[in-house]
């Protein structure tokens, strides 16, 4: 697709949707698959999710336990740093507020880590206050492994590389630890509204 | 955990052009030693994932990340820490 056709489509967009589109992004209706490696297939009976690090005792859930946590259905716009945005994506999952309920920690930073080895870092405050979920359904269907199933992170206010696929756990840390892309050119925070794509943006 | 090979996987020839930009010479015949398993592969034989925020090169023998290449905003970022040694012709 050329820039010209993108711009043309942009002009026809109504103002409501334009104001939902961060700078430099274009809208897609499909759901592109991004992958930095082979797709891990994690059998549900081997899946676990853990909160570890600066916490008195690590908390972990197997699939059965995790699915007993209270769920939420959320509809969010997502923004990929490769410039596509997708509006009104529907997810089912557990909010990080629920997962972190009662956790006492002095940590101010977190590292999401995944099956397959991916990592991405975030301040703890970006995971709380109704801003982040561990999701296992997309559009009412179990999340396909290509899109990060059995479960992935959803942190829709930041570029989508900050939402780890195949999530295995979250480490609470005192010092910020830049992750897979953040150590090699990508912005440490990744706010799409401030177009924080690369180091120095 | 089992791992399924993705359709998104390419071989090292897919980044021949990108490496020529960076090294200003043909690099697909260059040979890299994996810093994880020690096996040697020509750049043309490695596993390449390009549908990502950057290019990820993995060892065909052990799957370890060998290179990460990000190009954007007028700059390159190149991580070769997964390659212990890269041998290529000076001619
Ligand atoms: Zn190797």
């Amino acid at each position: 697709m050329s820039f010209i056709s993108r711009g043309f489509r942009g002009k026809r967009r109504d103002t409501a949707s334009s104001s939902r589109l961060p700078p430099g992004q274009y809208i897609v209706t499909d759901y592109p698959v991004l992958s930095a490696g082979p797709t891990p297939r994690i059998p549900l009976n081997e899946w676990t999710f853990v909160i570890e690090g600066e916490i008195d005792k690590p908390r972990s859930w197997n699939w059965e336990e995790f699915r007993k946590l209270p769920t939420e259905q959320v509809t969010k716009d997502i923004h990929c740093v490769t410039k596509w945005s997708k509006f009104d994506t529907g997810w089912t999952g557990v909010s990080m507020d629920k997962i972190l309920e009662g956790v006492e920690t002095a940590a101010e930073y977190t590292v999401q880590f995944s099956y397959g080895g991916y990592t991405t870092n975030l301040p703890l405050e970006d995971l709380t206050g109704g801003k982040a979920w561990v999701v296992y359904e997309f559009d009412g269907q179990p999340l396909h492994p290509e899109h990060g199933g059995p479960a992935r992170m959803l942190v829709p206010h930041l570029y989508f590389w900050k939402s780890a696929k195949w999530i295995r756990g979250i480490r609470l840390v005192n010092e910020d630890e830049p992750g897979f892309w953040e150590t090699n050119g990508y912005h440490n925070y990744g706010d799409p509204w401030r177009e924080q794509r690369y180091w120095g943006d | 955990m089992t791992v399924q090979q993705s359709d998104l996987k390419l071989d090292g020839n897919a980044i021949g052009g990108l490496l020529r930009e960076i090294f200003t010479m043909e690099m697909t015949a260059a040979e890299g030693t994996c810093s994880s398993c020690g096996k040697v592969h020509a750049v043309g034989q490695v596993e390449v994932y390009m549908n990502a925020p950057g290019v990820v090169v993995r060892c065909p023998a052990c799957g370890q990340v060998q290179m990460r290449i990000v190009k954007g905003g007028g700059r390159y970022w190149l991580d070769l820490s997964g390659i212990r040694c890269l041998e290529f012709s000076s001619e």
Side-chain angles (χ1 to χ4, degrees):
Chain A
M1 196 193 298
S2 70
F3 280 115
I4 292 166
S5 68
R6 266 178 216 166
F8 181 67
R9 293 201 322 174
K11 279 185 187 137
R12 290 166 53 187
R13 214 173 282 137
D14 60 71
T15 47
S17 63
S18 309
S19 65
R20 287 170 70 180
L21 193 64
Q25 298 289 108
Y26 64 93
I27 298 172
V28 297
T29 51
D30 60 343
Y31 186 173
V33 172
L34 266 69
S35 186
T39 301
R41 308 267 161 168
I42 308 108
L44 295 182
N45 60 8
E46 291 174 21
W47 184 91
T48 59
F49 177 78
V50 64
I51 303 290
E52 60 176 42
E54 291 298 320
I55 180 172
D56 40 344
K57 202 164 82 135
R59 291 185 175 189
S60 84
W61 295 263
N62 64 26
W63 185 255
E64 203 178 325
E65 292 161 345
F66 184 77
R67 290 297 308 273
K68 285 183 185 147
L69 296 174
T71 61
E72 287 179 24
Q73 292 188 329
V74 293
T75 302
K76 296 289 174 187
D77 298 347
I78 55 177
H79 311 292
C80 179
V81 74
T82 61
K83 300 200 169 178
W84 57 265
S85 290
K86 184 172 173 61
F87 287 168
D88 296 322
T89 57
W91 306 89
T92 310
V94 181
S95 77
M96 282 305 302
D97 295 306
K98 186 54 73 179
I99 288 167
L100 293 171
E101 203 171 73
V103 168
E104 304 252 345
T105 181
E108 291 180 23
Y109 300 96
T110 68
V111 179
Q112 304 168 30
F113 56 95
S114 296
Y115 293 93
Y118 184 76
T119 57
T120 186
N121 59 311
L122 280 181
L124 179 57
E125 64 181 12
D126 284 275
L127 290 181
T128 56
K131 294 196 285 289
W133 295 264
V134 176
V135 295
Y136 54 83
E137 279 181 8
F138 174 72
D139 275 349
Q141 299 296 318
L143 191 57
H144 193 277
E146 280 189 338
H147 289 303
R152 70 170 299 155
M153 292 299 297
L154 174 67
V155 192
H157 70 290
L158 299 176
Y159 282 125
F160 217 36
W161 93 77
K162 291 288 187 179
S163 298
K165 293 158 83 166
W166 313 297
I167 190 72
R168 191 158 70 83
I170 291 174
R171 194 156 55 246
L172 305 170
V173 290
N174 291 324
E175 309 247 338
D176 197 12
E177 290 176 17
F180 187 84
W181 290 119
E182 294 86 356
T183 50
N184 199 59
Y186 277 97
H187 198 274
N188 199 52
Y189 185 64
D191 181 349
W193 298 98
R194 288 185 281 167
E195 216 170 346
Q196 293 173 334
R197 298 180 196 276
Y198 304 108
W199 289 2
D201 281 353
Chain B
M1 184 184 92
T2 56
V3 161
Q4 169 148 325
Q5 294 308 313
S6 166
D7 293 334
L8 302 172
K9 184 180 78 179
L10 303 169
D11 72 27
N13 294 301
I15 52 168
L18 178 62
L19 293 179
R20 215 177 301 117
E21 282 175 30
I22 295 170
F23 290 92
T24 65
M25 59 192 292
E26 177 56 39
M27 294 297 288
T28 51
E31 296 195 323
T33 308
C34 177
S35 61
S36 176
C37 73
K39 295 222 165 58
V40 178
H41 293 95
V43 167
Q45 297 174 324
V46 296
E47 296 184 352
V48 174
Y49 294 85
M50 301 180 81
N51 289 323
V55 171
V56 178
V57 171
R58 290 177 180 270
C59 174
C62 75
Q64 180 70 28
V65 175
Q66 291 194 322
M67 298 186 217
R68 294 177 297 166
I69 308 169
V70 170
K71 180 184 182 183
R75 287 167 288 174
Y76 295 104
W77 289 270
L78 179 59
D79 171 15
L80 292 170
S81 59
I83 290 191
R84 188 196 300 157
C85 179
L86 187 65
E87 175 187 323
F88 51 99
S89 169
S90 61
E91 315 267 283

